[in-house]
Amino acid sequence: MNRAVMLRMAACGIMGLGAALLIAALLLWTYTGSRITKIPLDVDATLIGEGNGTVVDPASLYSPKLVVDKNVPVVAQQQIDVESPANADVVTFQVGSTLRRSDKQKDSGLLLALVDTVTLNRKTASAVSDDTHPGGAVQKPRGFKDESPATNIALPHEGLSYRFPFHTEKRSYPYFDPIAQKAFEANYNGEEDVNGLTAYKFTQDVGYDADGKLAEPVRYPSLYADDADSKVTNTAEMWGLPGDPEEKITLTRYYAAQRTFWVDPESGTIVKKQERANHYYARDALKPEVTLADYKVTSTEETVESQVNSARNERDRLALWSRVLPITFTAAGVIALIGGLLLGSFSLRTETALTESDSDDDEHGFFGRGEPPPARVPGAEAETEKIPTPPKDVKRDGPSSTGGPPTSGPPDLA
């Protein structure tokens, strides 16, 4: 195998590698990129917000008179876990949400609690709900000493829940409120920096207008069959209202909230959240009379840092498979193809040069293949030139035998 053939084989191999790299880049860009742009199945997050507000003293619920305290420190917590079903297409979040007074211990400070379950499309982050699969549920409330198994009440979800879609756009999205049990628009409101991450800011109004005033508060949808916590009748003394202490007054529970989300647009992760909510009892929806919990909380620095890190990890994963590897493979494939073409061209020139050299040697070379060089003959066998012998009757010129000088003139002829 001569050198030209070896170069040609190497060129073919390099060009084949280049083509394979380009095909791999195309697959990563189209097929693999869409496959990995999904909500992870290993989400396990604890989100904490802190603030203060005007809240009821839970111990007074069983006393003759409700006690409402102002400027109380409160902590809101969400624990997000993945439950079944969770597969290539959907993921199910079970989210336990609580609001506590941080100035009281354990259950004595618990104000609100809700366990919400929702099944989301892993690509769009929208709830998967239809007539046969509600796509969500809430856990029926239980008393502190109730040890019976928890039971869920089917609750169809719609819109987004607990996160935004990948490649979030600058527009409005319906975002589900499990307390109001329906979705409200989350409107895009600009960009802000959150711990070095450029985030999209969205605001949502539930029962409030843009100025933060009560406009259309939601009548609290009770989770009890008898609406036990939605409409309550007590004496004026128990409510702490003026008038006859023994007068029976029926109040309806209402709910309103304002939320601000800071969202990583690449992964859809909510990196920071601020929430203002108001749970109250009233006879007129726009005139609160008895406050249950009117508070404002913001994500703690630890929660923001954790969520930003999660968003960055998602960004890195997406960038690796959708940008870094495709671009790297494309560049390497193009270089390999160009290198293979150059090497192939060089092999052709080499083969041509070798062919022309062989042809010249055959026709004109001293050592051509058609005329081998003459063999060297030993000196003893070499041919010599034969000098003819002169006639005997011719005298040679030269010195005489006596040593005298030669005689001049023509030789004598006998």
Side-chain angles (χ1 to χ4, degrees):
M1 183 181 295
N2 60 33
R3 183 173 60 180
V5 175
M6 294 179 63
L7 289 175
R8 189 160 56 248
M9 292 178 62
C12 292
I14 293 174
M15 287 191 291
L17 175 61
L21 288 172
L22 290 177
I23 293 172
L26 181 62
L27 291 175
L28 287 172
W29 207 297
T30 56
Y31 179 76
T32 305
S34 63
R35 299 280 294 182
I36 66 170
T37 310
K38 293 183 178 182
I39 300 173
L41 296 176
D42 58 351
V43 176
D44 184 5
T46 300
L47 312 178
I48 299 176
E50 294 180 344
N52 53 58
T54 300
V55 298
V56 71
D57 182 355
S60 68
L61 294 173
Y62 308 99
S63 66
K65 184 178 180 179
L66 285 176
V67 176
V68 178
D69 299 321
K70 296 183 178 181
N71 198 28
V72 173
V74 295
V75 176
Q77 177 175 312
Q78 282 186 339
Q79 178 62 48
I80 304 177
D81 299 306
V82 174
E83 300 290 332
S84 180
N87 51 47
D89 299 320
V90 300
V91 61
T92 300
F93 287 159
Q94 185 177 76
V95 184
S97 303
T98 59
L99 179 71
R100 297 176 179 272
R101 294 179 55 152
S102 56
D103 61 340
K104 294 185 177 292
Q105 300 295 320
K106 298 182 178 180
D107 293 337
S108 63
L110 182 63
L111 298 170
L112 302 169
L114 179 69
V115 179
D116 179 37
T117 302
V118 58
T119 300
L120 303 176
N121 183 299
R122 293 182 63 193
K123 289 185 176 181
T124 65
S126 298
V128 178
S129 180
D130 54 40
D131 294 338
T132 57
H133 302 86
V138 290
Q139 195 174 102
K140 186 176 180 179
R142 293 182 298 168
F144 292 128
K145 298 181 180 180
D146 188 355
E147 297 181 356
S148 60
T151 57
N152 287 335
I153 303 172
L155 176 61
H157 286 55
E158 58 183 5
L160 308 178
S161 292
Y162 306 108
R163 65 177 297 141
F164 281 67
F166 287 92
H167 309 302
T168 301
E169 300 176 1
K170 298 178 180 180
R171 64 177 181 85
S172 298
Y173 289 91
Y175 191 91
F176 190 77
D177 186 322
I179 297 176
Q181 298 186 5
K182 63 180 181 178
F184 296 84
E185 291 295 317
N187 302 306
Y188 174 75
N189 197 25
E191 297 181 4
E192 288 188 9
D193 180 87
V194 179
N195 285 17
L197 186 73
T198 300
Y200 288 178
K201 182 180 178 182
F202 291 86
T203 56
Q204 182 190 48
D205 294 317
V206 180
Y208 283 108
D209 61 18
D211 297 325
K213 296 181 180 180
L214 286 173
E216 297 180 6
V218 178
R219 179 174 174 176
Y220 185 79
S222 177
L223 298 177
Y224 293 99
D226 57 357
D227 289 344
D229 57 349
S230 178
K231 183 174 289 189
V232 181
T233 301
N234 273 318
T235 62
E237 181 182 15
M238 175 66 181
W239 288 122
L241 299 176
D244 183 358
E246 300 300 323
E247 180 185 1
K248 296 290 185 177
I249 299 176
T250 300
L251 300 181
T252 302
R253 182 174 172 178
Y254 292 95
Y255 162 74
Q258 280 186 317
R259 297 184 181 89
T260 302
F261 306 98
W262 286 265
V263 180
D264 170 38
E266 292 293 324
S267 65
T269 302
I270 300 174
V271 296
K272 182 180 178 181
K273 179 182 175 183
Q274 186 178 81
E275 180 177 24
R276 173 197 175 189
N278 190 1
H279 297 256
Y280 63 91
Y281 287 96
R283 284 169 282 192
D284 184 338
L286 299 179
K287 297 178 180 180
E289 295 182 80
V290 179
T291 299
L292 180 60
D294 183 5
Y295 62 93
K296 183 178 182 179
V297 294
T298 304
S299 299
T300 62
E301 285 299 322
E302 292 78 7
T303 295
V304 172
E305 183 178 358
S306 174
Q307 290 298 96
V308 168
N309 289 337
S310 296
R312 291 189 187 280
N313 290 338
E314 282 293 297
R315 280 189 171 205
D316 292 342
R317 184 175 67 91
L318 293 176
L320 175 65
W321 290 99
S322 63
R323 289 195 294 274
V324 176
L325 288 180
I327 292 174
T328 301
F329 284 5
T330 300
V334 170
I335 292 173
L337 284 178
I338 294 174
L341 290 173
L342 292 176
L343 186 59
S345 176
F346 179 73
S347 70
L348 291 176
R349 290 199 301 270
T350 301
E351 185 175 13
T352 302
L354 289 174
T355 302
E356 291 177 353
S357 176
D358 290 344
S359 176
D360 291 343
D361 289 346
D362 289 343
E363 295 179 3
H364 308 290
F366 290 102
F367 302 99
R369 296 174 183 173
E371 296 180 3
R376 297 183 63 184
V377 179
E381 299 179 2
E383 295 181 357
T384 58
E385 182 180 1
K386 295 183 178 181
I387 302 175
T389 305
K392 293 182 180 180
D393 57 350
V394 178
K395 294 182 179 181
R396 298 182 179 180
D397 291 338
S400 62
S401 58
T402 58
T407 60
S408 58
D412 295 333
L413 297 175

